[in-house]
Amino acid sequence: MASNGVEEAFAVGSVLQAMLTMRSGDNEMKKQAADYLAKFQKSKAAWTTTISILQSSPEAEAQLFAATTLKGKITYDLATQVSEGDLPALRSQILLLLKKYAPGPKPVRVQLCVCLAILAIQMQTWKDVLPTVVSTLGNDVTSHACILDFLRVLPEEVTEGRKITLSEEELAQRTSELLGDNAEQVVQLLINYAQSSPAAASNPQLFDCISSWLREVPVGVVVNSPLMSAVLHGVANDNSLLAAADCLTVICRETKEVDDNRDTIALLLPRLLELRPRIQALVDEEDTEGFKAITRVFAEAGESWALLVAREPQHFRPIVDCLLECCARDKEKDVLHYTFNFWYELKQYLTLEHYIEARVQLVDVFAQLVDILLKQLEYPASDDPNNVDLFDGDREQEEKFREFRHHMGDTLKDSCEVMGVSACLTKVYDAIKLWQEKFGALATPTSVPHWQSLEAPLFAMRAMGRMVDNGDSSVLPQIFPLLVQIPVSNEKLRFAAIMVFGRYTEWTAAHPEFLEPQFQYIVSSFQSDSQEILRAAAQSFKYFCTDCKTLLSPQVIQLQGFYNDILDKLPMPSKEEVTEGVAVVLSVQKPEEIYTLLKLYCDPLIKRLMVKANQATDEKSKVDLADHINLLTNFAQYVVPYIPSDQENPAVKYWQEVFPILSTILDNFISFIPICERVCRCWRNMVISYRTAITPLLGPLANKLAEGFAASKQGCFLWATSAVLREFSEDREHVEDGITQNIYVFFEAQATTVLRTMSDIKPIDLPDVIEDFYRLLIDALLYYPTKLIPSPLFTPIFQAAISALSLEKQEPVSAALHYIRDLLTYGGPNPATSSDALGTAGPQLRQIVKQLLLEQGGALIKQTMAGMMFTFPSDCFADGSGVLLHMFQLLPQETAAWVESTIQMLPAGTVTPLEANRLLSKIKEKLSGSDSDRRQIRILMQDFTNTYRRRYVAPRDGLGQLEATQFHFSG
């Protein structure tokens, strides 16, 4: 193994001083202390130092740090730093420390219990774990707390055993020994403890312990034992309510496989129903946490038994009623969300034809639920009817309430599916009518009394929008005439009405007689000074234009006047939404009118653009200019007339006039990234929208993309290039061979410029360029494999990709890995491009790729493994292991040798010879097996690199022999 230097000495006093510095030092001193403590925690000296601190330090913070460090050492360093012969002594030390800390502090005690549990998992010769712990800790009251903590953490640590360096077979064996073989004994221990005293029977630790072991003990064993009575009594006891309720929740969850647990559920159901009086009692006592806990119990029972509710609605109706009561009594909206999943699960069954009878029997439940939700949707009441700030300026609280309402909206949709949309909308209609009858006459231009009870049904109606059939004519024709009369003086009401109109635009398109009053309501809302109203109006306007585009088509000229008038007063996102809306209406006009209409709509935008460009001197005005370019992009995206290939496209004709203006703006602001990105996005969308019809612009566009990248080194020019490459590839229709060849030459020129840039500048300073370059290359490899693979650029592009794998940013690493994975397919029988498309060139390309891998495979394996062990973001692990799998499939023996070589480069002491040999022997074993066996190598490599990564961080002085080689390009 590679050497990693002499280990630093760590004295107890120095470690404690570093901890003090972390609490009170300046930032530079804190950084030094953090580095020192990180080194300490990975050192061999940490074993004796942590135990010494635990034996002698009086400070709770120092004790907890030492216990946490010891846990990390046992988890990650036991196999590499402690010999098997020293394990019994370590076990004895931890047991002695547990006796010392049995009275507390609890956090230290729990960490030591975790230490002992992790040691027990790895110390495979220790067969009598439970008897040893119980007998060593003794039978006094303080020891009971310690034993219970150990029993609680043991199943948790065993089931998270992938953190531990045991093989799958060893871990399975140890799981059986520690959990399966001890389950019966643990249940008896807990029964004995529960029966030892009233205090023990209501000890929250007991219930936590039962919850933990329910993973291993059949739920029926617990329900049929005295422990069940203890849990139910615990729920009735205020001191143990929360822990006991959590335990009961776990018990219910464990009965989810209802057909396997019918007898257990039969015992549980009546005992749960005995708890129903606790609902009202806890509400009356204003015990919020208790109310939450009891609701979670009923919600978990309901979710677990939803199938049984559908099968036997009468028998299980009481559980449903309990949940309905929890919802109805939730005045503070504390527990309602716990029930949402139950209503969803029940709806899933009741909407099946098989359970139609249950649906009929339970439809009244959902009707009651809708009534409850309509009330719960209301904003808080206020004495001042004009006050719309009902959260006293607490924006976080208001945002939480809004998010909560959207979740309630999902449950309303569930109710719609059970009851039918018409029945739900009738409730909304009744609520609106009720408000009109009670308060409508009292509303004035400046005041709307009790507006909350009108706004709530509007929100509910908005939530139900997607459930409504476009042909429905039962209730909506009665509701919409009422909605256009909603008072506009109250901002919340106006906002709600606008959002409802926007949600029902598909229905309105099918009922055009309702379009005009709604659309006028939206248009008039743009006169508001409220930013929220403007944002809502812009969103709804976009939906009206999208869904009612043919109905609004005759108004295209009037819409331009409106668009031009209101554009400047809108915030940028709303400008884009309104622009998208008018662009969609423009898109359905006759082809012969498109050029004229584009000029009508876009020429004013171009004038604004030129004014902004002349005035853009600071960052804010430049960003405003960049955002304004996006408005033109909307027209390029949506105004795409169908024109035969032999005729001039009127939209392209217009964009040819605009192109020089965008080019000039780009030249003048080439150093300002947002403007480069927006111009490239606009051009890219032109290529995607008009495809080969963009040919008249192709020459100047390619020149500007090449010049732009050369001048700015920004990845957006490569991003736009990829669209050109795709749309003018060899397999596209109506593309001349000469154009295809010219496009590929253009691509190679771009690639050469990028490679030169990557040769001059380190990857860490080019993440965006690398990402866009390799996304471009993925397209080049897919559409031009017969040109790219034999190209002289093929090898340096691959070398640059390997160099890019040293980055720690997800996007560029992911792009490089995706390119490498696609490239590797050309070395095998299933290339990314179909074999038919490759034709006779397939075998030659396969040979070129294999030769490249024989030359560069060692570097690829080294850098991929280094990334998976040290630097890759977590989202790149799967692609990294995919590269390794491909390599094992293409070059099995060579790849195995490269893996072995890479392991030899790891810092000394970080991997034992036993671990290395175990991995390599398993790889060789899988290589000699079937194809499915070879695929398991991917799992082996993932497990090895994941374990290594958790155990070690990258050395501060670099990765040594694993350091990435700087890419050099001489082309």
Side-chain angles (χ1 to χ4, degrees):
M1 302 285 169
S3 172
N4 201 31
V6 179
E7 183 163 294
E8 190 176 340
F10 297 93
V12 171
S14 301
V15 172
L16 294 176
Q17 184 57 48
M19 287 186 59
L20 282 173
T21 303
M22 290 296 292
R23 277 190 289 180
S24 57
D26 62 29
N27 287 338
E28 184 56 35
M29 291 176 66
K30 281 183 179 178
K31 185 176 182 303
Q32 292 176 8
D35 290 341
Y36 176 82
L37 291 174
K39 281 186 180 179
F40 161 70
Q41 288 179 312
K42 291 176 172 58
S43 70
K44 286 186 179 179
W47 292 99
T48 53
T49 305
T50 52
I51 290 173
S52 178
I53 292 172
L54 285 164
Q55 287 171 335
S56 58
S57 176
E59 281 199 33
E61 189 176 352
Q63 294 165 356
L64 184 58
F65 172 78
T68 305
T69 300
L70 184 58
K71 179 184 75 173
K73 299 299 292 178
I74 296 171
T75 303
Y76 302 121
D77 298 334
L78 192 72
T80 55
Q81 295 181 355
V82 181
S83 69
E84 196 167 337
D86 289 334
L87 293 179
L90 178 61
R91 175 183 63 191
S92 299
Q93 287 273 21
I94 297 172
L95 284 167
L96 285 172
L97 288 171
L98 266 176
K99 284 204 77 167
K100 170 181 167 66
Y101 286 97
K106 183 180 177 180
V108 179
R109 184 181 74 212
V110 170
Q111 288 298 312
L112 288 172
C113 286
V114 173
C115 289
L116 190 61
I118 299 171
L119 178 63
I121 298 166
Q122 297 187 78
M123 192 173 170
Q124 298 175 67
T125 56
W126 185 11
K127 303 298 183 183
D128 58 344
V129 173
L130 225 57
T132 302
V133 172
V134 172
S135 61
T136 304
L137 293 177
N139 197 33
D140 55 90
V141 174
T142 54
S143 293
H144 289 167
C146 202
I147 293 169
L148 288 171
D149 276 339
F150 177 73
L151 289 176
R152 177 179 62 80
V153 302
L154 182 61
E156 295 169 1
E157 295 305 319
V158 171
T159 52
E160 293 171 9
R162 294 191 76 80
K163 287 191 297 189
I164 295 164
T165 54
L166 296 181
S167 69
E168 292 295 326
E169 296 81 4
E170 289 169 337
L171 186 57
Q173 174 67 22
R174 207 61 185 134
T175 300
S176 175
E177 291 172 353
L178 291 173
L179 302 184
D181 296 351
N182 283 321
E184 192 175 329
Q185 185 183 351
V186 168
V187 170
Q188 195 54 53
L189 268 174
L190 296 178
I191 291 172
N192 293 343
Y193 175 74
Q195 293 177 338
S196 65
S197 70
S202 59
N203 183 354
Q205 278 187 288
L206 169 66
F207 306 126
D208 291 340
C209 218
I210 296 170
S211 297
S212 185
W213 277 86
L214 274 165
R215 307 177 190 195
E216 309 303 325
V217 177
V219 66
V221 171
V222 173
V223 172
N224 283 284
S225 76
L227 292 176
M228 190 67 217
S229 295
V231 172
L232 291 165
H233 288 139
V235 175
N237 185 323
D238 289 343
N239 294 327
S240 57
L241 167 60
L242 301 184
D246 284 344
C247 181
L248 192 51
T249 299
V250 176
I251 289 172
C252 292
R253 188 180 305 135
E254 290 299 318
T255 63
K256 212 174 190 76
E257 298 298 328
V258 292
D259 290 323
D260 297 335
N261 291 286
R262 289 305 299 263
D263 294 341
T264 302
I265 294 169
L267 289 171
L268 261 178
L269 178 61
R271 306 203 72 177
L272 277 185
L273 296 177
E274 291 171 8
L275 298 175
R276 183 171 181 178
R278 287 288 275 158
I279 299 173
Q280 183 172 347
L282 290 165
V283 171
D284 292 344
E285 294 165 14
E286 298 184 358
D287 183 351
T288 303
E289 293 306 312
F291 185 31
K292 288 179 182 178
I294 202 75
T295 303
R296 283 198 299 269
V297 170
F298 288 120
E300 191 61 57
E303 283 181 49
S304 299
W305 305 341
L307 175 57
L308 295 179
V309 177
R311 284 180 186 170
E312 304 173 51
Q314 285 187 316
H315 185 62
F316 285 90
R317 171 71 181 251
I319 279 287
V320 182
D321 289 338
C322 288
L323 282 163
L324 207 56
E325 182 179 349
C326 289
C327 294
R329 294 190 183 280
D330 186 19
K331 304 302 180 191
E332 301 301 320
K333 301 176 178 62
D334 290 317
V335 308
L336 199 62
H337 63 283
Y338 294 125
T339 71
F340 290 159
N341 208 42
F342 163 70
W343 302 117
Y344 170 77
E345 293 290 345
L346 184 57
K347 177 267 298 185
Q348 291 289 82
Y349 288 115
L350 295 184
T351 50
L352 297 175
E353 190 65 32
H354 185 69
Y355 297 111
I356 187 68
E357 188 178 332
R359 181 176 176 179
V360 171
Q361 292 187 40
L362 294 173
V363 73
D364 67 303
V365 170
F366 282 87
Q368 293 176 64
L369 179 62
V370 171
D371 291 335
I372 292 168
L373 291 174
L374 283 174
K375 191 65 184 168
Q376 294 282 19
L377 283 169
E378 291 183 13
Y379 273 91
S382 171
D383 295 332
D384 180 2
N386 295 321
N387 181 20
V388 291
D389 184 7
L390 304 169
F391 296 89
D392 299 323
D394 188 339
R395 291 289 164 259
E396 184 180 350
Q397 212 40 44
E398 182 168 6
E399 193 54 43
K400 280 184 179 177
F401 177 68
R402 287 183 173 184
E403 185 180 347
F404 181 55
R405 287 187 2 140
H406 285 292
H407 289 306
M408 280 196 273
D410 291 337
T411 303
L412 275 170
K413 289 194 272 284
D414 295 334
S415 303
C416 276
E417 289 193 61
V418 176
M419 296 170 59
V421 179
S422 294
C424 283
L425 284 175
T426 298
K427 286 185 173 291
V428 167
Y429 175 67
D430 291 343
I432 295 171
K433 288 289 288 181
L434 182 63
W435 181 88
Q436 275 197 325
E437 291 166 7
K438 292 175 70 174
F439 308 113
L442 302 175
T444 69
T446 58
S447 175
V448 183
H450 298 280
W451 60 267
Q452 293 91 338
S453 58
L454 176 58
E455 192 274 345
L458 295 182
F459 182 91
M461 185 178 174
R462 171 184 161 197
M464 297 174 198
R466 72 176 65 169
M467 311 299 299
V468 176
D469 184 85
N470 292 341
D472 181 85
S473 57
S474 56
V475 187
L476 289 177
Q478 301 173 65
I479 294 181
F480 277 119
L482 298 179
L483 297 193
V484 294
Q485 301 171 39
I486 293 289
V488 297
S489 59
N490 184 287
E491 186 178 317
K492 290 273 194 274
L493 287 176
R494 191 172 195 177
F495 177 86
I498 292 169
M499 296 303 284
V500 168
F501 292 143
R503 183 57 63 90
Y504 285 80
T505 49
E506 289 183 16
W507 183 90
T508 302
H511 300 79
E513 66 271 23
F514 294 96
L515 171 62
E516 193 59 30
Q518 292 181 50
F519 193 62
Q520 286 308 313
Y521 192 98
I522 299 297
V523 168
S524 66
S525 296
F526 283 97
Q527 304 310 313
S528 171
D529 295 326
S530 163
Q531 289 296 300
E532 194 166 25
I533 294 295
L534 288 176
R535 284 194 292 269
Q539 186 183 95
S540 290
F541 179 87
K542 179 184 76 171
Y543 292 145
F544 269 101
C545 290
T546 301
D547 295 326
C548 306
K549 53 183 176 286
T550 53
L551 296 175
L552 293 171
S553 176
Q555 300 182 39
V556 66
I557 304 297
Q558 298 95 304
L559 277 177
Q560 192 279 329
F562 162 75
Y563 172 67
N564 198 45
D565 290 343
I566 57 99
L567 190 65
D568 292 331
K569 73 176 290 188
L570 299 176
M572 195 62 220
S574 297
K575 286 181 183 179
E576 290 202 30
E577 287 180 316
V578 172
T579 302
E580 181 182 329
V582 295
V584 170
V585 175
L586 202 57
S587 72
V588 298
Q589 306 304 311
K590 295 175 182 177
E592 58 268 24
E593 296 175 359
I594 291 295
Y595 173 78
T596 305
L597 289 170
L598 272 175
K599 282 190 72 67
L600 178 68
Y601 273 85
C602 294
D603 278 1
L605 291 180
I606 295 294
K607 287 179 183 175
R608 285 184 174 90
L609 195 66
M610 294 168 71
V611 170
K612 290 176 184 291
N614 290 330
Q615 296 174 349
T617 54
D618 57 9
E619 182 164 351
K620 183 180 178 184
S621 57
K622 289 177 184 177
V623 169
D624 183 45
L625 171 61
D627 288 340
H628 199 76
I629 294 168
N630 267 352
L631 303 184
L632 290 173
T633 305
N634 277 300
F635 285 98
Q637 274 182 289
Y638 293 101
V639 185
V640 187
Y642 174 75
I643 305 294
S645 59
D646 58 347
Q647 295 179 22
E648 182 183 41
N649 189 304
V652 173
K653 178 184 175 183
Y654 179 74
W655 295 123
Q656 284 179 271
E657 298 174 7
V658 172
F659 186 83
I661 297 168
L662 290 177
S663 297
T664 302
I665 290 172
L666 180 65
D667 292 340
N668 292 336
F669 296 94
I670 193 68
S671 60
F672 191 69
I673 296 172
I675 289 178
C676 294
E677 289 177 342
R678 301 306 197 285
V679 172
C680 286
R681 181 171 180 264
C682 186
W683 288 345
R684 183 176 185 272
N685 275 283
M686 287 180 191
V687 174
I688 292 170
S689 293
Y690 307 114
R691 310 189 74 174
T692 54
I694 203 76
T695 300
L697 266 175
L698 207 51
L701 175 58
N703 289 335
K704 293 310 295 184
L705 292 176
E707 291 170 10
F709 180 77
S712 71
K713 303 294 187 288
Q714 292 302 317
C716 55
F717 294 95
L718 305 177
W719 180 55
T721 298
S722 69
V724 177
L725 204 66
R726 258 198 318 273
E727 296 304 333
F728 288 87
S729 61
E730 294 170 314
D731 62 346
R732 297 293 195 213
E733 293 180 358
H734 313 303
V735 179
E736 297 173 14
D737 290 342
I739 291 177
T740 300
Q741 180 58 30
N742 289 339
I743 291 297
Y744 182 76
V745 170
F746 159 59
F747 154 73
E748 281 211 339
Q750 286 281 65
T752 302
T753 306
V754 177
L755 290 172
R756 287 173 183 157
T757 303
M758 290 181 70
S759 181
D760 296 338
I761 303 173
K762 290 183 177 180
I764 195 170
D765 297 320
L766 291 170
D768 294 340
V769 170
I770 290 171
E771 178 193 354
D772 287 316
F773 182 47
Y774 282 99
R775 299 215 181 282
L776 168 63
L777 281 163
I778 289 167
D779 285 335
L781 190 61
L782 181 63
Y783 294 111
Y784 296 87
T786 56
K787 287 184 169 69
L788 177 60
I789 292 175
S791 164
L793 294 179
F794 187 55
T795 296
I797 284 170
F798 187 70
Q799 293 170 328
I802 294 173
S803 173
L805 298 183
S806 63
L807 290 171
E808 298 181 24
K809 193 175 179 183
Q810 189 257 322
E811 292 83 359
V813 173
S814 181
L817 287 169
H818 285 176
Y819 170 72
I820 292 169
R821 292 189 70 178
D822 283 358
L823 182 153
L824 292 176
T825 65
Y826 290 89
N830 298 303
T833 304
S834 71
S835 299
D836 292 341
L838 296 178
T840 56
Q844 180 199 357
L845 300 183
R846 191 176 308 136
Q847 187 57 40
I848 294 172
V849 170
K850 282 203 170 182
Q851 186 59 40
L852 173 73
L853 296 178
L854 286 169
E855 295 169 2
Q856 304 292 331
L860 174 62
I861 295 299
K862 183 191 83 168
Q863 207 54 53
T864 303
M865 287 184 66
M868 292 177 71
M869 288 187 285
F870 294 111
T871 59
F872 280 0
S874 58
D875 288 346
C876 297
F877 289 176
D879 285 318
S881 64
V883 167
L884 296 177
L885 175 61
H886 271 301
M887 288 296 291
F888 273 112
Q889 290 171 328
L890 292 175
L891 301 170
Q893 302 308 323
E894 293 87 346
T895 303
W898 290 326
V899 168
E900 183 173 4
S901 172
T902 302
I903 291 174
Q904 293 297 323
M905 297 178 193
L906 292 171
T910 58
V911 174
T912 64
L914 177 65
E915 287 178 297
N917 291 334
R918 179 194 292 161
L919 173 67
L920 295 170
S921 64
K922 285 196 173 184
I923 287 174
K924 288 172 184 173
E925 177 190 322
K926 301 297 182 187
L927 284 177
S928 62
S930 64
D931 187 56
S932 62
D933 285 336
R934 289 191 180 191
R935 289 185 173 278
Q936 290 179 23
I937 293 175
R938 183 177 190 173
I939 298 171
L940 288 175
M941 296 302 296
Q942 280 179 325
D943 285 350
F944 177 80
T945 53
N946 283 345
T947 300
Y948 190 95
R949 189 184 183 103
R950 279 192 295 259
R951 201 189 298 167
Y952 300 105
V953 294
R956 295 189 67 207
D957 53 355
L959 299 182
Q961 296 177 56
L962 291 174
E963 200 74 58
T965 306
Q966 174 64 40
F967 169 69
H968 293 290
F969 178 64
S970 56

